[in-house]
Amino acid sequence: MVDKVKSTAAEALAGLLFDGMTIMAGGFGLCGIPENLIAAIRETGVKDLTVVSNNCGVDGFGLGILLENRQIKKMVSSYVGENKLFEQLYLSGELELEFNPQGTLAERIRAGGAGIPAFFTKTGVGTLVAEGKEVRDFDGELYVMERGLVADLSIVKAWKADAEGNLVYRKTARNFNPMMATAGKACVVEVEAIVAIGELDKDGIHTPGIYVDRLVKGAVFEKRIERVTTRAREAVGENAAAGVEI
Amino acid sequence: MAWTRDDMAARAARELRDGFYVNLGIGIPTLVANYIPDGVSVTLQSENGMLGMGPFPYEGEEDADLINAGKQTITELDSSSYFSSADSFAMIRGGHIALSILGGMQVSEKGDLANWMVPGKMVKGMGGAMDLVAGVKRVVVVMDHCEKSGAPKLLKACSLPLTGAGVVDLLITELGVFEINRGKTPVRLIELAPGVTLDEVKAKTEAAFEVAL
């Protein structure tokens, strides 16, 4: 039996990286990012990467460390506002950027992983996003054609896995990870725990192991929070927005 | 006295109906959650993959795996559910969300919305805004009536790149409320904030509008 479980992030990525490749990286902001695999990619120095990820980390963490090391040539993202170095590199022309609406990005990846080369959506009709793309009328409404997206490698963060590669994500750390797991020619996953076969609830598996090629238990999970926001203890019963950003 | 940010949020909250699934944008729209009317129960969707957003956590109880679309720490409710970004945007694009309340840079009398980029400035990206305006059944925009320079933001046509064309149903500014109806009918001013005159609104608005107070 093929052993998907590797002992380090470097080992999990061995032989899969090459200059100029396309990598999908899961996560929304810093939530659910494969931080150990990103750090290992930095160590290899592989460069001219096209990275598909909703965001690009922050200065000094997440994908931000690949920017610092000038390993990224192009980003495909929906929002990159949290990263000063990104702005500098983009404005100086060192970094290319393709913006996709967030839902279009998610669907492009889902479609790519499902073998669907293109689909039509209302999102972006009449905007810059639709320029140069086929727009078609279905039942009296206009839709723009978007292409499915695949990558040479997807790097994914899940909460738990078994040796089969069955994955369970936790709370909003799921985000783009399940689709990306399906859309990489190779898929490498880091998890917080690898449990015994049979321990995961078979009805509760989010990503079946067929999509997962290699698996590693992350050495360190810093799990930084971008905007720690809390409410006062006495403010019981107040609604969601009544918080304080720290 | 024109409306404050909180007044605008409270006015926007009056668009909520019992049982609605709602997506709130960042900024003033987030404040809407503080003004949900008594007897109205809504479920807040967060496009990063959650239905049933709870309040912010108590200090010390933050969970890095539980954030909203503004990347702030939040909590779950007993009724909450989590899902992937693809499922989240299937809800949004499939017309399953009843109401979205968003910020804006410009709104046109044709119902166009611009709220994601200013040419020549660093663009942060549209995030989920284009999906929300394209797919949510009713779109309410809450924004300042004018720019800091005094230039109007309710225009005949948006000068900034669009987020969506013919997508705005209702506009709330500090001066009043406008029915935009996705540009299918003429814009109508339907409410004035207390102490605001019709002349003031006319002076600060480029778009043509009917008065239906």
Side-chain angles (χ1 to χ4, degrees), chain A residues 55 78-80 99 102-104 121 123 170-172 175-176 223 227 229-231 233 239-243 245, chain B residues 30 33-34 56-57 59 62-67 70-73 76 85 89 93 122-127 131:
Chain A
N55 315 94
S78 86
Y79 188 86
V80 295
F99 277 127
Q102 197 174 136
T104 294
T121 177
T123 298
R170 186 172 175 272
K171 302 185 189 284
T172 55
N175 54 63
F176 282 82
K223 294 185 37 167
R227 298 180 194 278
T229 310
T230 59
R231 66 186 147 138
R233 288 268 168 193
N239 281 309
E245 207 160 287
Chain B
T30 306
N34 291 339
F56 293 123
E59 200 178 330
E62 308 89 355
D63 183 340
D65 291 337
L66 184 43
I67 64 169
K71 284 130 189 165
Q72 296 171 307
T73 44
E76 63 184 18
S85 300
F89 282 93
R93 293 145 70 112
M122 178 61 198
V123 181
K124 294 179 172 185
M126 71 289 281
D131 306 284

Side-chain angles (χ1 to χ4, degrees), chain A residues 209-220:
Chain A
I210 187 172
Y211 296 112
V212 175
D213 297 298
R214 298 182 188 176
L215 194 60
V216 63
K217 181 177 178 298
V220 184

Side-chain angles (χ1 to χ4, degrees), chain A:
Chain A
M1 184 185 153
V2 175
D3 190 2
K4 295 183 179 182
V5 180
K6 307 299 172 190
S7 54
T8 65
E11 192 192 327
L13 292 165
L16 297 177
L17 302 177
F18 57 93
D19 291 349
M21 72 187 300
T22 298
I23 299 178
M24 286 179 182
F28 180 93
L30 299 180
C31 183
I33 61 171
E35 56 180 284
N36 290 279
L37 292 167
I38 292 168
I41 288 172
R42 180 185 162 118
E43 290 308 307
T44 68
V46 64
K47 61 182 193 298
D48 295 328
L49 302 174
T50 294
V51 177
V52 179
S53 187
N54 189 56
N55 315 94
C56 195
V58 296
D59 293 318
F61 192 63
L63 292 170
I65 68 173
L66 301 186
L67 283 179
E68 275 170 13
N69 211 26
R70 305 295 188 270
Q71 288 169 270
I72 301 178
K73 182 184 71 176
K74 179 180 177 181
M75 284 299 304
V76 180
S77 301
S78 86
Y79 188 86
V80 295
E82 320 294 346
N83 195 315
K84 284 189 184 64
L85 178 63
F86 189 103
E87 182 170 342
Q88 283 171 25
L89 294 174
Y90 176 69
L91 293 175
S92 69
E94 284 179 74
L95 183 64
E96 292 172 55
L97 172 60
E98 177 186 323
F99 277 127
N100 284 191
Q102 197 174 136
T104 294
L105 182 62
E107 188 66 11
R108 289 185 71 193
I109 299 164
R110 196 197 69 79
I116 297 169
F119 60 91
F120 283 87
T121 177
K122 268 199 283 192
T123 298
V125 170
T127 77
L128 292 176
V129 163
E131 281 184 7
K133 295 174 186 165
E134 182 182 346
V135 173
R136 200 186 286 185
D137 184 317
F138 291 94
D139 306 320
E141 294 254 18
L142 295 178
Y143 296 80
V144 59
M145 189 177 82
E146 297 281 1
R147 298 295 308 271
L149 201 55
V150 293
D152 297 305
L153 171 69
S154 57
I155 54 173
V156 163
K157 159 72 185 7
W159 181 35
K160 289 181 185 177
D162 60 23
E164 189 62 35
N166 294 314
L167 306 181
V168 176
Y169 306 93
R170 186 172 175 272
K171 302 185 189 284
T172 55
R174 191 182 317 185
N175 54 63
F176 282 82
N177 284 297
M179 294 83 74
M180 288 186 173
T182 70
K185 285 177 196 155
C187 171
V188 179
V189 181
E190 68 175 68
V191 294
E192 294 178 48
I194 298 178
V195 302
I197 295 274
E199 209 172 294
L200 296 175
D201 172 8
K202 292 165 186 59
D203 276 324
I205 287 166
H206 300 135
T207 294
I210 187 172
Y211 296 112
V212 175
D213 297 298
R214 298 182 188 176
L215 194 60
V216 63
K217 181 177 178 298
V220 184
F221 284 99
E222 196 177 331
K223 294 185 37 167
R224 274 195 217 175
I225 299 175
E226 259 173 277
R227 298 180 194 278
V228 173
T229 310
T230 59
R231 66 186 147 138
R233 288 268 168 193
E234 58 271 36
V236 178
E238 290 210 13
N239 281 309
V244 178
E245 207 160 287
I246 297 169

Side-chain angles (χ1 to χ4, degrees), chain B residues 11-12 14-17 20-23 92 95-102 132-141 167-172 177-182 190:
Chain B
R11 176 60 190 82
R14 283 169 44 205
E15 299 301 311
L16 302 171
R17 297 290 175 270
F20 266 18
Y21 290 91
V22 179
N23 185 292
I92 290 168
H96 305 281
I97 306 283
L99 178 70
S100 175
I101 302 176
L102 300 169
L132 286 161
V133 300
V136 172
K137 285 187 192 137
R138 183 167 164 81
V139 173
V140 173
V141 173
V167 295
V168 179
D169 291 289
L170 193 77
L171 170 66
I172 298 168
V177 182
F178 296 84
E179 202 176 82
I180 308 290
N181 195 23
R182 306 197 169 209
I190 58 173

